[in-house]
Amino acid sequence: MDQTGFSIDGSDLATNPEHRCPSILLLDISGSMQGEPIRQLQEGVTVYRDCLLSDNLAQKRVEVAIVTFGGNVEVIQSFATAVSFTAPTLTARGNTPMGEAVVTALRLLEDRKLQYKAAGIQYYRPWVFLVTDGGPTDANSTHWSDAKEMITQGEAGKRFSFFCVGVEGADMERLNELNSARQALKLTGLEFKKMFQWLSSSQQSVSKSNPGDVVPLENPTAGPSGWATV
Amino acid sequence: MWAVVSASVIGTSHEASATICQDSCHVLRSRIAENDVLLIAVSDGAGSASHSHIGSSESVQHLLRVVNRDAPELSEIDANKVKGWFQEVLEHLVGVADRESVALGDLACTLLLAAVWPNGAAFAQVGDGAWIVDKGGQLISATWPDVGEYANVTVFVTTKGALHMDEEGNAAHLQFRRLDGPIDAIAGISDGLQSLVLDFACKCPSEPFFRKIFDHLRAADDETQMIAPLHQLLASDVINSRTDDDKTLVVGVWRDTAAALCDGTPE
């Protein structure tokens, strides 16, 4: 009977690396975030990691990097899946070099894409998620104009999706200037937890999708799970 | 002569959402310029397109109808000729969209064509999926998935510019490949299987998978007995644990019947 079927086992199949969904958190940890905002933000990042971990595919596919800006710009977490990153301790300090942070993050992203391509790894459109409670202190530098240019080009070429989220006190006008292609979202209160749950669940849907699928995102400004206004 | 079996099986994610299988496959044994020519078409309807199951089935049927009708000299089958055939499919889809009162994009689907004759073969494709052949014992990927930059993005026949070719005949998305010399076995896959049976790092087919599949079909006395097993394979846990998408596999092996008849006893 064995001869009359198509019998294969798992070891006959190709072992391709998992597809990846790169995600960069671009977090404002400047002095004004001191106190409750930074505490809530930090908790939100932990929730994000836990949500990703709870999903079979997302835990293997979503790769998170964290870039902070407060006084200086720092890559405090290079790309890693949820299993291999621990939510960092965030300490509020200094001014808000937002433009420089954006440039750093987008370069990090391009490097990662090159690594994927070299290794034959397929990937989904990257996400960049900027969270701030203020405005750039480097708006008069070339960093700021470079950042705007990189985002404009990147959004137009679908090289990534760039979300700006303003916490109470954020200069929303500046954020909409930074990314004119996608309206900035205003965080309701300190709903970082809901925000990161949304991000995780959106990325879970995307990381399951097959060629030709359109993945509708849930509206972050509506319903009980809403966490923002525009 | 060719022994061919094919199956398209719904993916678990589509089963869960109660949609239907959007993959289609069509096989036609044609006689072209005094040659027996095996024609196979495979199409994968886009998950995001509401009527892509109609798009894929209309595309595979129409494509083979057109090739069979056109029946060119085998030496004339080139990228331009194939482009014309795909163009006719696209025009046909425009009519189908009209008939079904849907937008052309609602019929979005990939399209793969193989034409195999005694001393050569031609392969063409727009979008994902691949053709794999056994040629003198060597496994070759005749075409490769056009995956686009992102894992969930591909090109469809209905995509604007999908069939575009510049003045020098370089196509952006329409792949074309001719192979000279006899083909011993052929397999076509839709994208649901591609990350399971193709190795993207070395850009080569999974040897054990295709060798087993070809050998199993060669070992069968009657290929119609292999249709149910092919369905079983595509619906098996081994496959479904690695993909939740619709998947098509068409397998053909060449059987030298004349030699078998003369000799009587296989060596």
Side-chain angles (χ1 to χ4, degrees):
Chain A
M1 286 301 282
D2 291 345
Q3 295 304 309
T4 60
F6 287 105
S7 66
I8 59 150
D9 45 68
S11 61
D12 297 325
L13 298 176
T15 48
N16 286 297
E18 286 288 345
H19 299 175
R20 302 297 158 80
C21 178
S23 167
I24 300 189
L25 304 181
L26 204 40
L27 307 178
D28 181 349
I29 56 161
S30 63
S32 57
M33 286 288 286
Q34 188 90 44
E36 200 54 15
I38 199 124
R39 208 181 61 75
Q40 296 280 351
L41 175 60
Q42 173 140 359
E43 243 179 66
V45 176
T46 310
V47 167
Y48 178 48
R49 188 206 54 193
D50 292 347
C51 288
L52 292 177
L53 268 181
S54 71
D55 184 290
N56 256 341
L57 271 179
Q59 64 164 264
K60 285 180 268 188
R61 295 186 165 184
V62 180
E63 286 191 328
V64 184
I66 305 176
V67 177
T68 56
F69 51 106
N72 61 348
V73 173
E74 225 180 304
V75 180
I76 60 166
Q77 171 72 60
S78 11
F79 282 106
T81 51
V83 189
S84 31
F85 92 81
T86 44
T89 309
L90 304 174
T91 316
R93 57 169 193 268
N95 60 0
T96 316
M98 194 186 295
E100 187 188 341
V102 169
V103 172
T104 303
L106 295 182
R107 286 197 181 134
L108 192 69
L109 187 56
E110 288 311 311
D111 285 350
R112 193 62 176 171
K113 283 189 179 183
L114 290 178
Q115 289 169 357
Y116 291 151
K117 281 174 192 153
I121 297 175
Q122 290 185 261
Y123 55 94
Y124 298 96
R125 195 203 290 198
W127 300 63
V128 187
F129 223 75
L130 180 146
V131 181
T132 180
D133 73 334
T137 48
D138 60 357
N140 292 322
S141 74
T142 53
H143 288 315
W144 185 250
S145 45
D146 288 350
K148 283 197 297 186
E149 178 63 20
M150 287 169 88
I151 294 175
T152 306
Q153 298 282 336
E155 283 274 10
K158 298 188 172 180
R159 288 207 286 276
F160 49 74
S161 303
F162 197 108
F163 295 84
C164 292
V165 180
V167 185
E168 187 61 45
D171 186 342
M172 300 304 285
E173 224 167 281
R174 277 288 192 199
L175 290 182
N176 282 319
E177 177 196 316
L178 181 64
N179 184 3
S180 50
R182 196 184 297 271
Q183 192 164 26
L185 296 163
K186 197 163 174 28
L187 187 69
T188 310
L190 290 173
E191 292 281 17
F192 285 117
K193 201 175 149 188
K194 278 189 181 170
M195 178 185 92
F196 279 114
Q197 280 166 341
W198 175 89
L199 182 59
S200 161
S201 101
S202 305
Q203 291 174 340
Q204 285 169 33
S205 310
V206 168
S207 63
K208 283 185 185 68
S209 60
N210 292 310
D213 286 350
V214 163
V215 186
L217 295 184
E218 254 186 69
N219 184 353
T221 64
S225 56
W227 50 270
T229 53
V230 288
Chain B
M1 62 182 293
W2 284 97
V4 184
V5 281
S6 75
S8 295
V9 172
I10 190 167
T12 50
S13 68
H14 290 169
E15 217 163 29
S17 59
T19 44
I20 54 175
C21 182
Q22 292 154 335
D23 277 11
S24 299
C25 179
H26 187 41
V27 178
L28 185 68
R29 290 159 204 275
S30 176
R31 185 94 186 141
I32 297 178
E34 292 172 13
N35 283 284
D36 286 323
V37 180
L38 172 68
L39 297 174
I40 311 177
V42 172
S43 174
D44 170 16
S48 57
S50 61
H51 290 61
S52 65
H53 57 289
I54 297 174
S56 71
S57 83
E58 291 278 351
S59 293
V60 294
Q61 303 276 345
H62 196 74
L63 179 61
L64 297 197
R65 203 154 45 223
V66 166
V67 178
N68 190 49
R69 181 211 63 205
D70 213 15
E73 288 296 323
L74 298 175
S75 59
E76 287 173 8
I77 301 179
D78 60 7
N80 256 314
K81 178 66 80 183
V82 166
K83 185 195 166 178
W85 292 337
F86 276 53
Q87 194 75 45
E88 280 201 48
V89 171
L90 181 59
E91 281 154 23
H92 176 72
L93 289 180
V94 170
V96 173
D98 196 42
R99 185 189 79 202
E100 300 285 328
S101 303
V102 296
L104 180 61
D106 293 330
L107 302 173
C109 57
T110 66
L111 189 55
L112 296 87
L113 169 70
V116 188
W117 53 89
N119 202 31
F123 306 87
Q125 154 176 348
V126 168
D128 277 348
W131 290 111
I132 306 300
V133 296
D134 172 350
K135 191 166 180 294
Q138 205 191 350
L139 283 185
I140 302 170
S141 53
T143 59
W144 194 257
D146 182 2
V147 289
E149 180 174 12
Y150 301 134
N152 52 351
V153 176
T154 189
V155 178
F156 302 107
V157 177
T158 50
T159 306
K160 198 164 184 280
L163 304 179
H164 178 77
M165 224 180 251
D166 68 16
E167 284 157 10
E168 280 150 27
N170 299 310
H173 297 292
L174 176 61
Q175 298 184 59
F176 176 78
R177 175 107 179 254
R178 259 184 88 108
L179 292 175
D180 293 325
I183 302 292
D184 301 297
I186 177 170
I189 58 160
S190 68
D191 80 65
L193 281 181
Q194 68 195 21
S195 64
L196 286 68
V197 301
L198 303 179
D199 186 323
F200 280 81
C202 68
K203 251 192 139 182
C204 54
S206 167
E207 292 261 341
F209 177 83
F210 287 103
R211 292 206 184 280
K212 276 195 183 175
I213 296 295
F214 291 149
D215 284 348
H216 289 152
L217 184 55
R218 285 185 185 111
D221 301 325
D222 172 4
E223 71 259 31
T224 59
Q225 301 289 318
M226 296 299 277
I227 298 170
L230 188 60
H231 273 93
Q232 280 160 20
L233 170 71
L234 294 184
S236 68
D237 289 342
V238 180
I239 300 290
N240 279 339
S241 64
R242 297 269 306 271
T243 179
D244 62 2
D245 201 1
D246 296 343
K247 55 255 155 178
T248 292
L249 178 59
V250 51
V251 191
V253 292
W254 176 254
R255 286 220 185 90
D256 218 338
T257 41
L261 283 175
C262 294
D263 195 23
T265 47
E267 283 178 60

